[in-house]
């Protein structure tokens, strides 16, 4: 029997770098038109020449009809959680619920400091991330008399709002063991970039995520597993993991889905290859994964069960 979190319907999307010199809106519309499920917009507000991610998300939602949009991931040190919660809830209401929230503890601290936020050590950044999840969920609760007092964030409001009309997932972009533990305890999803979490680390991360969820009394199957594909589609030949022809991508994504339990893929390669990814690779992966899941399920159902009174070996 395949574990339930490895049978989830697959989602595919794109990881978009918000370079203002690029045709951002056209690329987002292409992703929507090609049938992709998600558009993750990277959030590095301190980089010169980048668009503001929440503003870009709102613009994309206004000119698309079906694709879901998220920051992948929001730079928490420069995005106060209550303000971020309001922005995301507003976008969700205006788009019919087509928003998720990817949240990160922060990277490139030198640049973050230059933009006015204080530098945090790893443990403090994780604690701030955990507090932010609590603040955002509290804001979205639409309750009265809201209060939160943490080490990094304080929040008091007589009334929150607007509360989202549809559930918004909070997916944490974390790579270290303790960050993954946090995702298992508190998040709706885990976002892992392939450059920092290659397949040899992915299996350990998945086990850690499952163990942390179970220890917190949660069903691991409720947590979405998002993998950012930082590679290149290159018909010139295989050059390593996620660097090669489309057939190699089909094989590797199928293995990630069936063998590692990844259920969501964000293409982070050249936007010029987006059509090839969406219209050729994605359908082939869906077909192959369905075939392999059915074969595994069939083998499990065909296996004889121990007779009554007998123990399994």
């Amino acid at each position: 029997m395949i574990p339930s979190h490895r049978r989830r319907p697959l989602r595919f999307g794109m990881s978009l770098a918000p370079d203002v010199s690029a045709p951002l809106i056209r690329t987002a519309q292409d992703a929507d038109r090609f049938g992709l499920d998600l558009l993750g917009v990277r959030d590095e507000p301190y980089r010169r020449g980048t668009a503001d991610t929440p503003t870009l998300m709102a613009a994309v939602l206004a000119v698309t009809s079906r694709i879901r949009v998220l920051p992948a991931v929001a730079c928490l040190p420069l995005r106060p959680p209550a303000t971020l919660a309001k922005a995301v809830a507003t976008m969700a209401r205006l788009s019919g619920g087509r928003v998720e929230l990817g949240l990160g503890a922060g990277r490139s601290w030198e640049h973050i400091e230059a933009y006015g936020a204080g530098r945090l050590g790893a443990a403090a950044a994780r604690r701030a991330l955990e507090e932010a999840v609590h603040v955002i969920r509290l804001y979205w609760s639409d309750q009265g008399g809201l209060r939160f007092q943490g080490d990094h964030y304080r929040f008091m409001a007589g009334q929150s709002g607007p509360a989202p009309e549809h559930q918004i997932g909070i997916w944490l972009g974390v790579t270290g063991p303790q960050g993954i533990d946090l995702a298992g305890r508190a998040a709706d999803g885990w976002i892992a970039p392939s450059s920092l979490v290659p397949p040899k680390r992915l299996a350990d991360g998945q086990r850690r995520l499952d163990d942390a969820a179970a220890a917190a009394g949660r069903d691991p199957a409720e947590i979405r597993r998002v993998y950012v594909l930082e590679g290149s589609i290159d018909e010139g030949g295989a050059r390593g993991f996620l660097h090669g022809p489309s057939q190699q991508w089909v094989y590797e994504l199928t293995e990630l889905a069936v063998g590692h339990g990844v259920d969501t893929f964000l293409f982070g390669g050249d936007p010029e290859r987006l059509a090839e990814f969406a219209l050729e690779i994605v359908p082939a992966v869906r077909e192959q994964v369905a075939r392999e899941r059915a074969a595994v399920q069939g083998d499990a159902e065909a296996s004889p069960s121990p007779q009554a009174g007998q123990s399994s070996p």
Side-chain angles (χ1 to χ4, degrees):
M1 184 72 69
I2 304 174
S4 58
H5 70 275
R6 298 195 176 195
R7 301 195 303 271
R8 296 184 67 160
L10 298 180
R11 287 185 182 180
F12 294 87
M14 178 184 184
S15 174
L16 180 66
D19 182 351
V20 293
S21 65
L24 299 173
I25 296 299
R26 188 187 72 192
T27 300
Q29 289 176 315
D30 285 345
D32 188 47
R33 180 165 54 88
F34 294 154
L36 292 178
D37 305 295
L38 294 161
L39 180 73
V41 182
R42 302 175 207 172
D43 187 30
E44 298 174 321
Y46 42 78
R47 290 195 182 279
R48 181 177 177 85
T50 59
D52 176 66
T53 291
T55 304
L56 177 57
M57 288 172 57
V60 166
L61 289 165
V63 297
T64 56
S65 61
R66 55 173 304 280
I67 199 166
R68 303 178 71 83
V69 182
L70 70 149
V73 292
C75 180
L76 179 60
L78 296 174
R79 306 283 184 194
T83 303
L84 183 62
K86 188 178 187 74
V88 171
T90 301
M91 284 187 275
R93 275 182 170 257
L94 296 178
S95 67
R98 292 190 291 123
V99 180
E100 309 286 358
L101 175 57
L103 198 58
R107 297 172 60 185
S108 301
W109 284 101
E110 179 182 351
H111 297 98
I112 290 172
E113 280 188 303
Y115 262 59
R119 182 186 292 264
L120 296 176
R126 282 193 304 272
R127 178 59 183 162
L129 180 61
E130 185 169 10
E131 289 182 9
V133 172
H134 289 302
V135 169
I136 291 167
R137 289 220 170 101
L138 188 64
Y139 184 96
W140 289 344
S141 69
D142 200 23
Q143 300 173 0
L146 303 177
R147 291 179 177 273
F148 180 84
Q149 179 72 45
D151 295 332
H152 301 277
Y153 298 110
R154 290 177 293 176
F155 178 56
M156 291 183 290
Q159 187 69 36
S160 67
E165 296 175 325
H166 305 80
Q167 182 177 353
I168 301 173
I170 300 178
W171 303 346
L172 298 188
V174 288
T175 57
Q178 293 175 319
I180 296 172
D181 287 346
L182 171 58
R185 292 195 310 270
D188 303 299
W190 174 38
I191 302 177
S194 63
S195 60
L196 298 178
V197 187
K200 63 183 179 182
R201 285 194 59 203
L202 186 58
D204 290 339
Q206 294 276 41
R207 283 192 292 269
R208 193 168 191 107
L209 190 74
D210 291 347
D211 291 345
R218 306 180 64 202
D219 181 357
E222 297 176 354
I223 303 174
R224 185 160 290 278
R225 309 358 167 59
V226 185
Y227 204 53
V228 183
L229 306 168
E230 299 173 319
S232 60
I233 302 171
D234 182 0
E235 300 305 329
R239 296 183 292 106
F241 178 60
L242 295 179
H243 290 277
S246 57
Q247 191 55 43
Q248 175 185 330
W249 276 67
V250 172
Y251 172 82
E252 291 176 343
L253 268 59
T254 299
E255 174 58 25
L256 288 166
V258 177
H260 292 277
V262 176
D263 54 58
T264 302
F265 298 94
L266 298 181
F267 175 65
D270 184 353
E272 294 297 322
R273 309 304 292 264
L274 181 61
E276 186 174 354
F277 174 77
L279 302 178
E280 298 179 21
I281 294 174
V282 168
V285 172
R286 290 191 188 278
E287 180 179 351
Q288 187 63 26
V289 168
R291 185 182 300 118
E292 294 195 18
R293 284 177 173 176
V296 172
Q297 191 76 7
D299 290 345
E301 292 174 354
S303 299
S305 302
Q307 298 295 318
Q310 296 181 348
S311 60
S312 299

